[in-house]
């Protein structure tokens, strides 16, 4: 697994940055997730464990605690709509439903072609610019239901 | 210092005390005492779930221990506090708020806890059940579907997990990460969906896994061996000592209707700190093995066949007389001291046959540095010498060393897989050199008041060599310093000393072996003993399992298991501990028929262990009485140091072999006996997953030179014989070595050629 | 009360100062130079004079906090300054704008603070969702490194991975140490044993970004801003919800809440009327419109009004909102974010959501309403950290202030808004993701992709 070895070296470099190497586990998992198409399959966690000198079980205990790590496959694009109070008061649900219509899936699902995963998320810290939608972690502000068609087009097939 | 931070054995308490008031009662305790313990001193209960000092600092997770502290606005988790001068505490008994909070906690815990107590193994010995009864709400107001899971989940072949019973106290995961440090059992997910798990479908495969069963305060983690086997009110617990390794952990055998149902730890703070390994915990079903010898077997035309006891004893007498003193006794080192003595009395006094073989030599020289194992936990510097993993020889010691490291100690290991790598057998020399050459380590060892030396390997004169070192370092005068030899067998010293005590005349050399007496299954499965059998005219075997000896014994007399024995055993500290009979064996005691046989040779031997111990104690333990051993046997005082006989050169020669072997391109075979091995372990199906892979460990360099990577199949050849194994690159291993578990090394010789297939 | 002044955002004129040259052109880094001529104690004295209080929510005096950190002589272990940029409190988005517009002032503040506690190690823990903010911060850091402004101090920017609880200072430290982000029991407090069991000061982004101006103008001058009591200085208020002009506004403490909403924020759009205000982030008690009319935005006034200034996140709620639905949604948030370590929070937040959902659906009874209150009282005050406590305080306030609305759901057997509520049908992560993390799957959490 060539990417595995390079991952190993990259993580070794990350570990060196901290007084306690274990502090590098979040960056290490972020790296691994990026290398594995946005989620952490079992072999990814085993790879991180090897490089971090911890058990795969430990990596799982961390990965499953944080929302931004996915232990199940996700689409090539991940669309996350904030539905916390401020966005909700400003029509977030309309935006969610627009995405569900355009993509033909429910929130929490991935399109059949594996292109897009749609999720609702907690406050993204853009309450004054509601509704906030994260496209592959890039935030779109002031999104309205009417903008959704265009966004979905951008994501393409 | 937080309670548990360094609790239990090894704590260095400050003398000064503080006075606190709990529920209007004034209590004086040592400064730094945990509030839970402080209350307990005054007979006041602060109920707990997650609090367990042996797991390290408190975490304050379950909130069962809520108390009111005068001057603090919020309720506090009592388990996280230590007694402070003038502290005024109110428990649920005298504080409305504390009671209210505690009821809340219990109600919350019960929200997702099923009411299946009647079919739960924990029922009747369940802290949750008890505390609910005492503090809990009468009925639940939870009218929503509880979280439910498929049950039970096999965490391993040994442990089942009922997730819906779990109250998420995190005791089990804390044990896994903070005590055994195996990192296998974890909490995954977050919040209400947090759950205990292993990685994917990997089992919880670690030497101490079973302890989580005892730690679980509810019936979430249960033993697959014990599931639905008994109810608490039908069982009897017998306090005894584990007979499977020289640590001699104190255990409790739970029996029901004359059968052993489970083995649990029985905390001896100086020996085991309340933990036992999976070998000690899960091996007991071996006493019910199919090939258990239940009656004497004698060789006839049709091979071994059952015979009456009278016939058997006649045959035994015949064999013993026939040998005319040309008898060799192969001891296992797992006999009780009394049985070994009985055997000695029979053959040495009755037949004047003195030659015996023991797996390893032993020495009493270390008694001058005697100290409880718990001192390791409080040490600042620990030096381990030898090629064997501590885990494989005496698992309990491994946990003490981990504890020491957590408390900031430096651990230096000298051996084939050490922090200081040496060629096999070279560790001892390396240590000598270290100390000779006024090295930094030598200086620190001399200066330290809390240093420990441990010998974990073959050779070394059974600790004699180590004793010389300890003496040179002045350990004899330092109570905080100690030196331990880890024998390969559970009662090596007791057996050797009993054998010696049984002599009443000088030894006389004899030619050839008329009769080989094989005492115990370990001896019977030892290749060296098999070799002796080849040379012997006849073989008398005393074993639990007949498949080991069918081929080559002329007479087989049934042996009993440690859990079936009354008697004593000496652990690696030199502590004499008492074995108590948990269940009646299916066969008579060894001593019973040994006494009969002895009678036929006009030597007196009592059939009663207690009487035999008395006689022995006169000669060996200065008249120590069985009663004095009690539930928790004391450690005898240090003995004056007596310089042992000069070194015989087993270590060095082994060392030379290694070097030479390296030059000629072959690797030096390094056999090791894994923790999970031996006749009894082999007979317990659910333990098999713990046994080592069929693999050979190679140093990275040696692997590279041979183009071998982890996972490759390799052939190992040494004149004539060859085996095929999976290769594993071991970054800790010294070069020039092929490390293989005894059971996979077959009859390979010292120097092996390793090639990829 | 002094008038509006820009302190944290000073010199930006509504724009951003992301280039070192531009920042220095408006006097940037002068505070740093001055601070380097001051002793650590003198810096702390200035902070005490300014009476700057933590902008992260706890409102603890910053100078005092720093003075608790032992000196290197008292504790030789390395000292750490950990900056809390995990900003995840619903309604709060101020730190984000500070990082985007004045990253250099923020870093300048880090260096001054590090000097005050005699630390050479600064870690900024930024929430993982702030990707652009992270890039902007890293580039600002690069500029300062090139300009040799860091001296002997190393600044590490560490990205979180999505967990509100990691904003709680001890959970943050656990997360930083590579563990699950679960709070620690206190004592020991971070100042004594924080990151890697070493002396540590944990401060919020805004607190740190306010330090350079304080050193520049002097603590006493800064203290003249805002109110003379506990609430000196300015605050970056995050205004969101049903207002015409939501956004971040830096205003002096003591600014009238109604002016923020109706003047600065342009009032309630669409001809709606103000129904309620959450004044300090989702963790604070709600105010009715009538109450909101009366209060000013400062620690003491809001405390007296039975709520808190919290993270100064003001959420305006108009008359279309069903408060029971608000309760469900807020409760779902805390259920989702509870770390799962302590029993009352882990179980209580989930149970509360269940009760609220039943009431919202019209199947609730008066007994459920009492149960809701009682569960809240049992959770509040028994948790390991404030998450569970504040969740219950917020929800209890909805029932207290809008009880008739809860009663209506029970008695009419449904939502009195009949589907017209602005929060109607809002989908929370717990509605959607429960299946993924919940009881559904058993032994194998991962499917390896084909
Ligand atoms: C559940 C919870 C979440 C918190 N989230 C944040 C946060 O996102 N940012 C922050 O600065 N402080 C947060 N805090 C407060 C921190 O614990 C801590 O008080 C603060 O960072 C100290 O910095 P300050 O004194 O400068 O305010 C949170 C507290 C709790 C209990
Ligand atoms: S399984 Fe038992 S020990 Fe482990 S967290 Fe659950 S209740 Fe505690
Ligand atoms: S026993 Fe104190 S919190 Fe669990």
């Amino acid at each position: 697994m060539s990417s595995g070895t390079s991952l190993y070296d990259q993580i070794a470099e990350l570990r060196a940055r901290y007084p306690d190497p274990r502090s590098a586990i979040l960056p290490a998992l972020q790296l691994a997730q990026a290398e594995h198409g946005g989620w952490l399959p079992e072999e990814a966690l085993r790879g991180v464990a090897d490089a971090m000198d911890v058990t795969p079980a430990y990596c799982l205990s961390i990965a499953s605690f944080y929302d931004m790590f996915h232990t199940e496959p996700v689409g090539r694009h991940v669309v996350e709509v904030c539905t916390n109070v401020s966005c909700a008061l400003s029509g977030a649900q309309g935006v969610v439903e627009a995405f569900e219509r355009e993509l033909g899936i429910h929130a929490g699902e991935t399109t059949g072609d594996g292109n897009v995963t749609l999720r609702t998320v907690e406050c993204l810290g853009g309450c004054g610019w509601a509704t906030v939608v994260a496209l592959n972690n890039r935030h779109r502000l002031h999104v309205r239901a009417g903008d959704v068609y265009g966004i979905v087009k951008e994501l393409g097939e | 210092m937080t309670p548990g931070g360094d609790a239990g054995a090894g704590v260095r308490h400050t003398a000064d005390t503080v006075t606190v008031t709990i529920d209007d009662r004034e209590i004086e305790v040592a400064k730094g005492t945990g509030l839970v313990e402080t209350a307990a001193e005054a007979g006041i209960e602060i109920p707990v779930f997650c609090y367990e000092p042996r797991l390290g600092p408190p975490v304050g997770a379950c909130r069962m221990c809520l108390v009111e502290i005068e001057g603090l606005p919020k309720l506090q988790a009592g388990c996280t506090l230590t007694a402070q001068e003038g502290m005024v505490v109110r428990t649920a008994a005298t504080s409305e708020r504390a009671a209210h909070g505690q009821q809340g906690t219990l109600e919350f815990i019960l929200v997702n806890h099923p009411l299946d107590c009647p079919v739960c193994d924990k029922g009747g010995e369940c802290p949750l059940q008890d505390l609910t009864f005492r503090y809990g709400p009468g009925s639940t107001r939870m009218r929503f579907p509880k979280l439910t899971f498929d049950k039970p989940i096999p965490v391993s072949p040994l442990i089942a997990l009922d997730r819906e019973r779990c109250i998420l106290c995190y005791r089990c995961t804390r044990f896994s990460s903070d005590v055994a440090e195996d990192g296998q059992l974890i909490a995954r997910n977050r919040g209400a969906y947090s759950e205990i798990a292993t990685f994917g479908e990997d089992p919880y495969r670690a030497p101490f896994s079973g302890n989580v069963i005892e730690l679980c305060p509810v019936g979430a983690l249960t033993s697959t061996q014990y599931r639905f086997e008994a109810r608490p009110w039908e069982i009897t617990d017998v306090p005894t000592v584990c007979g499977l390794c020289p640590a001699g952990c104190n255990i409790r055998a739970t029996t029901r209707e004359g059968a052993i149902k489970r083995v649990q730890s029985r905390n001896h703070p100086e020996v085991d700190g309340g933990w036992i390994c999976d070998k000690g915990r899960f091996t007991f079903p071996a006493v019910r093995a199919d090939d258990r010898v239940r009656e004497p077997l004698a060789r006839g035309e049709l091979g071994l066949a059952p015979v009456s006891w009278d016939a058997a004893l006649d045959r035994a007498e015949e064999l013993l007389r026939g040998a005319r003193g040309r008898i060799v006794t192969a001891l296992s080192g797992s006999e009780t001291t009394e049985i070994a003595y009985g055997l000695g009395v029979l053959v040495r006094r009755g037949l004047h046959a003195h030659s015996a073989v023991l797996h390893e030599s032993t020495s009493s020289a270390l008694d001058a540095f005697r100290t409880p194992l718990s001192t390791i936990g409080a040490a600042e510097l620990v030096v381990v010498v030898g090629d064997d993993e501590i885990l494989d020889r005496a698992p309990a010691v491994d946990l003490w060393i981990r504890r020491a490291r957590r408390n900031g100690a430096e651990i230096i290991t000298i051996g084939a897989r050490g922090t200081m790598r040496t060629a096999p057998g070279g560790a001892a020399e390396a240590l000598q050199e270290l100390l000779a050459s006024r090295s930094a380590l030598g200086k620190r060892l001399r200066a330290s008041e809390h240093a420990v030396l441990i010998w974990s390997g073959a050779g070394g004169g059974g600790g004699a060599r180590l004793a010389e070192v300890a003496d040179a370092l002045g350990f004899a005068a330092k109570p905080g310093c100690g030196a331990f030899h880890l024998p390969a067998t559970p009662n090596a010293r007791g057996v050797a000393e009993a054998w010696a005590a049984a002599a009443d005349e000088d030894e006389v050399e004899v030619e050839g072996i008329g009769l080989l007496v094989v005492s115990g299954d370990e001896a019977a499965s030892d290749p060296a003993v098999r070799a002796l059998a080849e040379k012997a005219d006849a073989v008398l075997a005393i074993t639990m399992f007949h498949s080991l000896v069918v081929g080559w014994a002329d007479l087989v007399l049934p042996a009993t298991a440690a859990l079936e024995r009354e008697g004593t055993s000496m652990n690696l500290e030199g502590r004499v501990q008492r074995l108590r009979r948990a269940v009646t064996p299916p066969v008579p005691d060894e001593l019973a028929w040994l006494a009969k046989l002895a009678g036929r040779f006009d030597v007196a031997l009592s059939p009663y262990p207690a009487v035999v111990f008395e006689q022995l104690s006169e000669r060996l333990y200065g008249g120590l009485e069985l009663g004095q051993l009690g539930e928790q046997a004391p450690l005898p005082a240090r003995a004056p140091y007596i310089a042992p006989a000069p070194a015989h050169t087993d270590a060095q020669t082994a060392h030379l072999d290694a070097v030479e072997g390296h030059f000629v391109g072959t690797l030096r075979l390094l056999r090791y006996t894994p923790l999970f091995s031996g006749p009894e372990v082999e007979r317990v199906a659910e333990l098999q997953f713990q046994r080592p892979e069929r693999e050979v460990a190679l140093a990275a360099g040696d692997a590279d030179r041979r183009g071998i990577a982890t996972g490759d199949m390799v052939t190992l050849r040494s004149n004539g014989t060859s085996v095929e194994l999976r290769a594993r690159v071991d970054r800790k291993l010294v070069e020039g070595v092929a490390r293989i578990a005894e059971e996979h090394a077959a009859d390979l010789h010292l120097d092996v050629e390793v090639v990829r297939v | 009360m002094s008038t509006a002044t820009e302190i944290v955002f000073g010199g930006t004129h509504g724009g951003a100062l992301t280039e070192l040259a531009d920042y220095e052109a408006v006097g940037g880094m002068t505070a740093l130079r001055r601070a380097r001529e001051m002793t650590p104690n003198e810096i702390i004295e200035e902070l005490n004079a300014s009476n700057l209080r933590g902008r992260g929510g706890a409102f603890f005096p910053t100078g005092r906090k720093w003075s608790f950190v032992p000196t290197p002589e008292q504790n030789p272990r390395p000292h750490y300054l950990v900056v809390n940029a995990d900003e995840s409190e619903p309604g709060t988005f101020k730190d984000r704008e500070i990082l985007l517009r004045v990253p250099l002032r923020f870093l300048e503040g880090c260096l001054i603070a590090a000097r005050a506690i005699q630390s050479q190690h600064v870690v900024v823990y930024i929430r993982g969702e702030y990707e652009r903010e992270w890039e902007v911060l890293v580039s600002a850091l690069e500029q300062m490194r090139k300009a040799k402004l860091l001296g002997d101090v190393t600044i590490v920017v560490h990205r979180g991975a999505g967990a509100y609880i990691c904003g709680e200072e001890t959970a943050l430290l656990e997360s930083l140490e590579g563990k699950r982000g679960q709070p620690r029991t206190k004592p020991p407090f971070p100042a004594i044993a924080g990151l890697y069991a070493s002396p540590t000061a944990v401060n919020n982004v805004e607190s740190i970004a306010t330090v350079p101006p304080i050193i520049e103008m002097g603590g006493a001058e800064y203290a003249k801003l805002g109110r003379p009591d506990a609430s000196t200085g300015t605050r970056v208020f995050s205004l969101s919800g049903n207002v015409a002009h939501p956004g971040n506004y830096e205003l002096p403490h003591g600014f009238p809440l109604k002016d923020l909403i109706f003047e600065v924020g342009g009032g309630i759009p669409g001809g709606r009327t103000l129904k309620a205000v959450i004044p300090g982030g989702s963790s604070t008690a709600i105010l009715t419109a009538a109450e909101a009319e009366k209060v000013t935005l400062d620690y003491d006034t809001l405390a007296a009004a039975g709520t808190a200034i919290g993270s100064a996140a003001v959420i305006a709620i108009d008359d279309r909102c069903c408060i029971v639905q608000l309760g469900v949604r807020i409760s779902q948030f805390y259920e989702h974010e509870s770390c799962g370590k302590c029993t009352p929070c882990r179980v209580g937040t989930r149970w509360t959501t269940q009760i609220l959902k039943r009431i919202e659906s019209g199947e609730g009874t008066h007994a459920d309403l009492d149960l809701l209150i009682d569960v809240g009282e049992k959770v509040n005050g028994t948790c390991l950290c404030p998450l569970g406590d504040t969740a219950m305080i917020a929800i209890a306030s909805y029932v207290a202030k809008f009880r008739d609305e809860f009663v209506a759901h029970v008695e009419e057997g449904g939502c009195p808004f009949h589907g017209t509520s602005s929060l109607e049908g809002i989908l929370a992560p717990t509605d959607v993701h429960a299946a993924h993390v919940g009881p559904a799957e058993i032994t194998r959490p991962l499917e390896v992709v084909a």
Side-chain angles (χ1 to χ4, degrees), chain C residues 16 18 96 193 272 299 329 388 434:
Chain C
T18 54
R96 173 183 209 168
R272 314 298 313 194
Y299 181 83
R329 186 62 189 86

Side-chain angles (χ1 to χ4, degrees), chain A residues 39-50:
Chain A
W39 73 290
L40 291 163
E42 198 163 311
E43 80 260 19
L45 290 168
R46 289 194 192 274
V48 173
D50 180 37

Side-chain angles (χ1 to χ4, degrees), chain B residues 161 165-172 196 215-218 220-221:
Chain B
L161 167 60
R165 291 180 188 159
C166 171
I167 63 169
L168 288 168
C169 67
Y170 302 106
R171 281 176 164 221
C172 53
I196 304 308
L215 282 167
C216 184
V218 295
L221 289 165

Side-chain angles (χ1 to χ4, degrees), chain A residues 42 46 55-56 61 64-65 67, chain B residues 182-183 187-190 199 202:
Chain A
E42 198 163 311
R46 289 194 192 274
T55 61
S61 76
S64 60
F65 183 88
D67 292 330
Chain B
D182 56 54
R188 72 170 186 227
N189 303 336
R190 193 174 70 199
F199 184 69
D202 295 359

Side-chain angles (χ1 to χ4, degrees), chain B residues 641-730:
Chain B
Y641 177 67
I642 303 152
H648 39 73
T649 54
D650 54 352
Q652 278 83 340
T653 45
H655 181 40
L656 294 176
D657 296 348
V659 178
E660 188 187 317
H662 190 49
F663 289 139
V664 298
T666 62
L667 297 178
R668 166 74 190 286
L669 176 64
L670 181 59
R671 293 167 174 264
Y672 73 98
T673 311
L675 172 62
F676 294 100
S677 65
E680 294 183 82
V681 167
E682 285 160 18
R683 284 162 175 76
V684 182
E686 55 273 28
L687 262 180
Q688 299 312 300
F689 81 105
Q690 290 272 32
R691 296 178 62 182
E693 316 281 338
R694 280 192 54 83
E695 67 180 16
V696 53
L698 302 169
D702 294 326
D704 294 347
R705 261 177 249 115
R706 293 166 175 74
I708 297 170
T710 297
D712 297 350
M713 288 308 289
V714 296
T715 309
L716 294 91
R717 281 197 213 83
S718 67
N719 48 347
T721 62
S722 84
V723 256
E724 211 170 274
L725 295 171
R726 191 178 152 282
R728 183 170 56 79
V729 174
D730 179 348

Side-chain angles (χ1 to χ4, degrees), chain B residues 47-51 60-65 77 79:
Chain B
V48 302
F49 283 120
C50 70
Y51 182 56
C62 76
R63 317 306 285 179
M64 187 62 210
C65 62
C79 74

